[in-house]
Amino acid sequence: MVYLIWGIVMVVCFYSLAFGVTLWKQKNKPGSIVVILLSITSIILPYFTYVK
Amino acid sequence: MIQSKGKLGIKEFISIIALTIGTKLSDDTPSIIYENAKNAGWIATILIGVMSFIPVIILIKVFSAHKDKNLHEVIIYLFGKILGNLISIIILVLGASALIVDSGVYVDIIGTMYFTKTPPSIIYLILMAVCAYGAKRGIEQIGAVSWLLLPYLKITLLVAVIVSINEGTLGFIFPIWGEGKLEIVKASAKNLSIFSDFLFIGLIAPLVVSFKDFKKGTIISLIFVTLEISLAMVTFVMLFDYTTAEMLSYPFHETIRYIQIGFLTNVETLFFPFWLVATFIRFSFYLYLSAILLGGILKIKEFEYLIPLVTTIVILIGLSPDSPSIVLYTMRQYILLLLSPAFIFLPPLMWLIAKIRGDFKNETVQESS
């Protein structure tokens, strides 16, 4: 179960990071930074909430 | 995945509201209202509906001067870039918190009442994955599904209500004013934000075919959901009496487990799938609104790409409470308490600024020309 959650989180994180990079290329720097930060948050969150 | 960029008709718009706000009768909202208003909870609900009319009408008036803008764009226009974005961020945080707590409550309902052996994380994952898919398909498809399923969902609810009334005791609704008129007013003011979704509905205002439909749809759905929730609350009191109804976390689900249609027992198997579909539509819509608002704040036009990220964060935070029934109930009360002032004061403030700026004069000039 833990692996499944991690797998999904990783996929979503990469997807969002790629979207963040696209936003950076479109010159939407604030949007890109927030999306990248949220992606990193999604990777860190399971340590505090799911895998306690 | 192709996202439709069409507009919502009045029937789809009403269906979305009827399903998103109407399903509140099936979570812990009735228990929260009963806690203060006791057996007069149904009167408190009507009063909440009446009190909500003021901010809703004012909000519609504000949108009448900004027909092509959504809530975030109107806020930015009225309050300026910095303050406007700050207000939108506060709304987003409150809305996202409500989404996390509400989804947690629904996972708790499914986990404690129906799938008792399935881990909550699996239920959460499946529920939110379906909702994320729905949200990613776009508002037009959410609206179409809502309109398609609305009759089935409401007919099954009506059957449950009629059977419950037959099995209930009318005497339980007396004394009609519960603990007193003042207590009803207090309970209504405290829980006014159960209809705060009407504020968030401003985010899809420009996606409705015409402003006239938006105005008509909002008013019709406010009346509809008020009567629906109120009727359900009378039913719960008639069936269980308020002392029990107040203690039950999810009175609707206890009701459908308790009632019997003729020789048919375990009728919850009939109601549960319909309720589940309504839940999918509800959270799809909330995810869509969260993404649209986050996209607006960050100036992201392709906001639908944010939906998986928002969903993942919602799941990961929603999974954190160790005893969801107790923690989420308390958190939901706090969120309702926080959202109430935002719902009451933001629309009048927006109207006042629009009036000072002379936006309504421009609207009159535009209409006359």
Side-chain angles (χ1 to χ4, degrees), chain B residues 20-257:
Chain B
T20 48
I21 307 180
T23 36
K24 287 193 179 190
L25 66 90
S26 65
D27 53 30
D28 55 356
T29 308
S31 308
I32 293 172
I33 298 172
Y34 286 136
E35 201 178 296
N36 298 101
K38 307 293 175 191
N39 62 326
W42 65 279
I43 302 177
T45 311
I46 294 176
L47 198 61
I48 291 171
V50 172
M51 286 160 88
S52 301
F53 246 96
I54 304 159
V56 167
I57 294 289
I58 294 172
L59 200 66
I60 291 171
K61 181 72 189 156
V62 174
F63 277 108
S64 70
H66 305 280
K67 286 171 187 161
D68 53 342
K69 291 190 176 82
N70 69 20
L71 181 70
H72 170 69
E73 288 160 349
V74 175
I75 288 174
I76 294 286
Y77 176 82
L78 294 174
F79 294 94
K81 218 173 170 182
I82 297 170
L83 191 60
N85 271 319
L86 193 69
I87 292 170
S88 287
I89 290 168
I90 293 169
I91 292 175
L92 176 69
V93 169
L94 285 173
S97 313
L99 170 61
I100 292 165
V101 172
D102 283 0
S103 56
V105 167
Y106 278 70
V107 169
D108 188 48
I109 293 172
I110 298 167
T112 53
M113 311 282 272
Y114 302 98
F115 296 101
T116 46
K117 286 177 185 167
T118 315
S121 46
I122 291 280
I123 298 172
Y124 219 138
L125 207 65
I126 295 170
L127 175 75
M128 294 315 281
V130 174
C131 297
Y133 177 75
K136 214 157 180 317
R137 292 303 297 259
I139 192 71
E140 200 192 7
Q141 304 226 2
I142 297 173
V145 174
S146 307
W147 172 242
L148 190 74
L149 295 167
L150 187 76
Y152 303 104
L153 298 168
K154 295 306 165 192
I155 287 169
T156 47
L157 179 70
L158 192 68
V159 170
V161 166
I162 292 168
V163 174
S164 307
I165 288 173
N166 275 336
E167 288 188 24
T169 313
L170 187 69
F172 286 158
I173 65 165
F174 297 102
I176 206 98
W177 297 110
E179 288 213 325
K181 290 172 191 171
L182 188 68
E183 289 302 316
I184 297 174
V185 175
K186 270 193 220 168
S188 308
K190 208 172 142 188
N191 300 309
L192 193 67
S193 59
I194 63 165
F195 289 147
S196 63
D197 300 47
F198 281 99
L199 182 70
F200 293 93
I201 277 158
L203 286 166
I204 56 159
L207 300 174
V208 181
V209 171
S210 67
F211 176 73
K212 206 177 150 192
D213 284 345
F214 172 72
K215 186 180 171 182
K216 224 159 101 180
T218 310
I219 294 169
I220 292 170
S221 44
L222 176 57
I223 296 168
F224 181 80
V225 291
T226 305
L227 295 176
E228 187 189 9
I229 298 177
S230 186
L231 180 68
M233 292 195 63
V234 178
T235 313
F236 302 149
V237 169
M238 279 176 70
L239 201 62
F240 299 114
D241 195 5
Y242 81 92
T243 40
T244 315
E246 187 190 334
M247 278 189 288
L248 297 171
S249 295
Y250 312 115
F252 173 77
H253 296 276
E254 297 290 351
T255 303
I256 59 173
R257 284 161 79 99

Side-chain angles (χ1 to χ4, degrees), chain A:
Chain A
M1 187 60 208
V2 177
Y3 293 111
L4 180 72
I5 295 276
W6 274 114
I8 293 167
V9 169
M10 295 285 270
V11 169
V12 174
C13 182
F14 283 126
Y15 176 86
S16 306
L17 279 173
F19 181 53
V21 172
T22 312
L23 287 174
W24 186 272
K25 283 178 184 167
Q26 287 172 355
K27 308 263 186 262
N28 183 356
K29 287 179 184 171
S32 164
I33 292 166
V34 174
V35 169
I36 291 168
L37 281 177
L38 284 175
S39 310
I40 296 165
T41 309
S42 72
I43 278 282
I44 299 167
L45 260 179
Y47 285 108
F48 297 100
T49 63
Y50 187 66
V51 196
K52 277 185 267 191

Side-chain angles (χ1 to χ4, degrees), chain B residues 65 77 351-364:
Chain B
Y77 176 82
W351 177 83
L352 192 69
I353 294 171
K355 187 86 180 159
I356 293 166
R357 291 179 70 131
D359 293 350
F360 300 118
K361 278 181 199 166
N362 297 341
E363 178 206 1
T364 322

